Amino acid sequence: MLMASFPEELSINNLLGMNGKKGLLLSPNFPIFRFGDSKMDYENSEKTFRNFYIDTAYEFFNPENAIRLLAAMTSPCDRLKIWLPTAENMYYLMYSLHDIRKLKFKDFKIPARTVLSHFQRNRLITRFTDLCEYERLFNSGGLYLLSELMYLNEKRGFGIISGN
């Protein structure tokens, strides 16, 4: 929400630096956030998310893994479209990234039980540092991070939209 309030002054890596954490390798196309509540904003956010997701998947992963990641975000209602993330999408995305990067639950600097509950989508990720820890190990160029932020926004109704 801080990023949405001050989009020009703050970035993910600025916030991490303020916490004494190392920055993330994010795609240069990682979108800016702001607040909004109109239907047009929602559609713009969906378009921005879709374009970033597709471009980043092919930029940071080989074609076979990019297709796996695109399949993880396919809407269960319409298999031809990528929408804003749902719980099911995030479940498949996290497990796909976990498998692609050959990670173990103990690799994360988060208690293993918490990691498991996040992966199973039994518990929302609430700490910014946890989101960044997942992104750091997934090394997805921001693909996971943006997906999770958009999912949390939908779940909690923050009114945050993305756009370049």
Side-chain angles (χ1 to χ4, degrees), residues 99-130:
D99 186 47
I100 290 167
R101 297 298 188 211
K102 304 203 182 330
L103 298 169
K104 295 175 177 54
F105 287 142
K106 65 180 181 173
D107 293 337
F108 300 94
K109 294 177 185 173
I110 303 168
R113 293 177 83 185
T114 303
V115 171
L116 183 60
S117 68
H118 289 161
F119 268 76
Q120 293 175 337
R121 310 313 292 175
N122 293 332
R123 185 168 151 197
L124 290 178
I125 301 169
T126 55
R127 292 178 24 182
F128 175 70
T129 53
D130 289 353

Side-chain angles (χ1 to χ4, degrees), residues 12 24-28 30-31 33 49 52-53 56-57 60-61 93 97 135-136 138-149:
I12 298 287
L24 299 171
L25 175 63
L26 299 174
S27 167
F30 196 84
F33 296 96
F49 172 76
F52 174 78
Y53 193 94
T56 304
F60 279 77
F61 296 91
L93 176 62
L97 288 166
E135 175 59 41
R136 180 171 283 108
F138 290 152
N139 190 25
S140 70
L143 187 142
Y144 164 75
L145 182 61
L146 181 62
S147 299
E148 192 71 59
L149 288 171

Side-chain angles (χ1 to χ4, degrees), residues 10-89:
L10 291 177
S11 70
I12 298 287
N13 286 328
N14 288 7
L15 289 173
L16 285 171
M18 289 177 196
N19 285 324
K21 306 282 183 184
K22 186 177 155 190
L24 299 171
L25 175 63
L26 299 174
S27 167
N29 299 325
F30 196 84
I32 303 170
F33 296 96
R34 59 188 170 81
F35 283 103
D37 61 357
S38 75
K39 182 68 174 163
M40 191 166 124
D41 287 339
Y42 183 85
E43 290 168 3
N44 182 48
S45 191
E46 181 181 344
K47 181 181 174 186
T48 300
F49 172 76
R50 182 180 4 202
N51 291 341
F52 174 78
Y53 193 94
I54 293 168
D55 293 345
T56 304
Y58 283 103
E59 179 183 347
F60 279 77
F61 296 91
N62 67 38
E64 179 183 313
N65 288 331
I67 290 170
R68 285 178 66 185
L69 296 173
L70 293 174
M73 204 51 66
T74 302
S75 170
C77 300
D78 185 344
R79 302 203 184 288
L80 300 177
K81 293 187 178 182
I82 295 176
W83 300 95
L84 294 176
T86 64
E88 294 83 11
N89 298 137

